[in-house]
Amino acid sequence: MTKEVSRVVPYSMGIKYVDLPTFPDLFRWEEDNWQDESMSWKESCYVHSGISGNVFRLTGPDAQALLSYMAINNVYKWKIGFSKHLVFLDEEGYIRNHKLTIRDSEDSFRIFGTNSPVFIQKTIEERHFDVKMETIEMCIYQISGPLSLTVIEKVTGQDQRDLKFLQTKPITIPGIPAKLELARIGMSGTLAYEIRGAMDDGIEVYNKIYEAGKPYGMQRLGWRTYTVNHTEGGFPQGGCSFFVSFMLDRSFINEQDELDPNYAKAMGFKGSIDPSDYAARLRTPGQVNWLWMANFDHDFIGKEALLKEKENPKQKLVTLVWNKEDIQDVFMSLFEQGEPYKFMEFPNLGGYNTGGHTDAVIDKDGKRIGLASVGHYSYYYREIISETVLDIDQAEIGNEVTVLWGDYGKRIKPIRARVERYPYLQMPSNKNYDLDTVPKGY
């Protein structure tokens, strides 16, 4: 059974959801308030349900060979029960998609959160891989923050400290006859887990997690704040901070000879870069600091282009911290006559659908030197920051640049910005988190 996310709609009590037929409660836009949500993964923890949905299972004797052909990663050094972050390219070297994938057995894999099954199926057929692809629906709950493990132990009633980073294992929740799994993975930049199960069990599982977490200050994270943790924690993601190239693939867009001129508008391409400049919304592995993932001892789509980038990288990903006085000018323009500057939503300056938002970054001479993904207000740091691709010679910490804030063809505000560390969040990473410091929940 397949369900499609259709639109963002308002509901009562000021709550908004991404409207998913039958299960709207799993896709909250905002729950309590974004300030508390923003602090949750630093002080307590959150539960996020918004990546629930389609998961693609690949089975068959050629499943591993298929993934090897599609991904830049080495997929042969892969323990059963562990996950990898696979990166798929197109022939030009742009990121076609990138997804968490788990190896369930010798010849069975699950790809989470992907919306490009056409490309996978087409590759299977054209290359004659002996692989079966099927779609399953799962509720996926990210639980992140210093008390995330405490809450998970509380809701399961068991010690869960044996679980290694990127590992997955089966679990149960007392009172719910559901097959569930626990994974140590997340996008907050600190201790994080996921609980997964069948979609039909989703609401009951969610409620159990939240009830167990409330005494510990758990927040229900919505999509409005979800991208803040990516920007703070240093996790560039298609759909959040850039655009994935499979969305420009004619096989995905009904085999059109060329893109509809209204496509950029329909996809919500915002920012000071011309909406018709699709390439400015795409990213290569080098531009998001992922060249270290590449393994060149196998043939894969986009290998030649990636080799060229590996030999001569031109850009890298940094954090920009925006100038507060210039930001104040944006809001002051609302109280002046004439066209105001583009409004800044908080905490995600661009509001919903941010992957296509790109602002130009220039140097003191007005030369374009980079591309800024949509900015975010960090309530924790009380700064506006953005993941930004910069020319390598401009990427030194402390360098002063200018972000052109606004939409193409409208009033533009030059905002001074400073190059800072990447990732910006300074907390123990999930992989290296000392679990002895986490209070027990069982």
Side-chain angles (χ1 to χ4, degrees):
M1 179 172 62
T2 301
K3 302 180 181 71
E4 295 181 353
V5 175
S6 56
R7 63 191 185 281
V8 177
V9 294
Y11 274 68
S12 61
M13 301 174 62
I15 299 174
K16 292 184 179 180
Y17 304 90
V18 176
D19 180 23
L20 186 75
T22 310
F23 298 106
D25 288 341
L26 300 187
F27 288 77
R28 287 180 169 88
W29 171 247
E30 180 181 3
E31 183 61 54
D32 300 315
N33 67 76
W34 57 263
Q35 292 98 329
D36 291 341
E37 292 178 19
S38 294
M39 296 300 292
S40 62
W41 63 93
K42 295 94 170 180
E43 297 180 342
S44 55
C45 58
Y46 68 71
V47 56
H48 176 67
S49 59
I51 60 172
S52 299
N54 289 342
V55 175
F56 294 93
R57 179 185 285 126
L58 302 174
T59 56
D62 292 340
Q64 200 165 13
L66 168 67
L67 292 176
S68 180
Y69 178 69
M70 293 195 303
I72 71 174
N73 318 67
N74 182 334
V75 303
Y76 289 97
K77 294 181 179 180
W78 194 343
K79 294 180 181 180
I80 294 172
F82 282 79
S83 299
K84 279 183 177 287
H85 176 207
L86 299 187
V87 180
F88 311 128
L89 305 185
D90 61 24
E91 294 291 357
E92 297 180 71
Y94 290 113
I95 297 169
R96 186 192 298 267
N97 216 337
H98 64 102
K99 294 300 171 183
L100 183 74
T101 306
I102 183 171
R103 186 177 192 182
D104 290 317
S105 68
E106 287 294 334
D107 60 357
S108 179
F109 302 82
R110 278 177 294 156
I111 303 179
F112 291 87
T114 186
N115 43 7
S116 56
V118 173
F119 158 66
I120 299 174
Q121 187 61 47
K122 187 176 181 180
T123 303
I124 292 172
E125 295 171 357
E126 290 182 349
R127 303 285 298 189
H128 305 292
F129 286 110
D130 187 0
V131 178
K132 176 184 177 182
M133 183 175 71
E134 59 181 327
T135 304
I136 56 178
E137 284 193 329
M138 298 188 72
C139 61
I140 302 173
Y141 301 126
Q142 292 182 338
I143 305 166
S144 302
L147 296 179
S148 55
L149 178 57
T150 307
V151 172
I152 290 168
E153 291 180 335
K154 182 72 173 178
V155 77
T156 62
Q158 293 183 336
D159 181 347
Q160 304 292 355
R161 292 162 194 250
D162 62 325
L163 191 66
K164 298 177 182 179
F165 179 61
L166 295 180
Q167 189 179 17
T168 299
K169 72 173 185 179
I171 61 167
T172 58
I173 293 178
I176 301 180
K179 293 182 179 180
L180 304 171
E181 64 184 26
L182 175 67
R184 188 171 169 184
I185 186 69
M187 300 298 164
S188 61
T190 185
L191 186 62
Y193 295 83
E194 287 184 358
I195 291 179
R196 310 173 187 134
M199 186 68 91
D200 288 344
D201 299 313
I203 293 175
E204 188 176 9
V205 172
Y206 182 94
N207 290 337
K208 281 280 191 178
I209 295 170
Y210 182 57
E211 288 302 315
K214 279 197 293 187
Y216 300 97
M218 172 176 272
Q219 296 291 312
R220 292 169 288 187
L221 188 75
W223 274 102
R224 179 171 182 159
T225 313
Y226 178 72
T227 52
V228 176
N229 65 22
H230 283 64
T231 302
E232 288 182 341
F235 293 96
Q237 180 169 324
C240 295
S241 52
F242 64 93
F243 202 63
V244 285
S245 74
F246 89 85
M247 294 289 286
L248 304 179
D249 190 333
R250 288 193 295 274
S251 66
F252 180 80
I253 315 168
N254 300 321
E255 300 289 350
Q256 300 176 65
D257 292 332
E258 59 184 45
L259 292 175
D260 186 308
N262 293 318
Y263 185 69
K265 181 178 180 180
M267 294 308 299
F269 286 176
K270 302 293 185 180
S272 55
I273 297 288
D274 187 337
S276 66
D277 186 353
Y278 299 120
R281 272 103 183 147
L282 305 178
R283 298 291 184 266
T284 66
Q287 289 178 318
V288 292
N289 302 350
W290 288 351
L291 285 175
W292 66 272
M293 295 186 193
N295 182 284
F296 294 99
D297 65 358
H298 68 290
D299 186 30
F300 59 87
I301 300 171
K303 180 177 180 178
E304 184 177 345
L306 188 59
L307 272 170
K308 291 180 180 179
E309 183 177 34
K310 178 77 172 180
E311 293 167 357
N312 186 27
K314 291 182 169 53
Q315 295 182 310
K316 63 180 292 187
L317 198 58
V318 303
T319 301
L320 287 187
V321 177
W322 297 19
N323 181 277
K324 295 178 181 179
E325 293 180 355
D326 292 344
I327 293 166
Q328 290 170 1
D329 288 344
V330 173
F331 288 98
M332 283 302 298
S333 72
L334 295 169
F335 301 93
E336 300 168 350
Q337 296 300 315
E339 180 186 358
Y341 293 118
K342 180 177 179 175
F343 185 71
M344 291 180 171
E345 301 280 353
F346 271 33
N348 180 326
L349 302 193
Y352 189 66
N353 191 19
T354 60
H357 184 116
T358 305
D359 291 313
V361 181
I362 60 175
D363 63 13
K364 62 180 184 299
D365 298 320
K367 176 187 175 184
R368 195 171 100 180
I369 56 171
L371 304 165
S373 298
V374 68
H376 289 80
Y377 173 69
S378 170
Y379 186 67
Y380 182 66
Y381 288 108
R382 307 300 169 95
E383 303 273 9
I384 286 181
I385 60 177
S386 61
E387 290 184 319
T388 303
V389 175
L390 278 188
D391 293 348
I392 288 178
D393 63 352
Q394 297 287 331
E396 183 178 352
I397 290 179
N399 186 34
E400 298 284 343
V401 299
T402 298
V403 178
L404 301 183
W405 168 255
D407 287 330
Y408 183 79
K410 296 185 178 180
R411 191 180 183 191
I412 300 296
K413 170 63 180 177
I415 295 181
R416 290 166 289 174
R418 182 181 71 255
V419 178
E420 275 294 351
R421 62 184 180 272
Y422 187 86
Y424 199 59
L425 184 69
Q426 292 185 307
M427 293 188 71
S429 68
N430 194 356
K431 181 179 181 180
N432 301 314
Y433 207 94
D434 183 359
L435 300 185
D436 289 337
T437 66
V438 182
K440 293 182 179 180
Y442 58 94

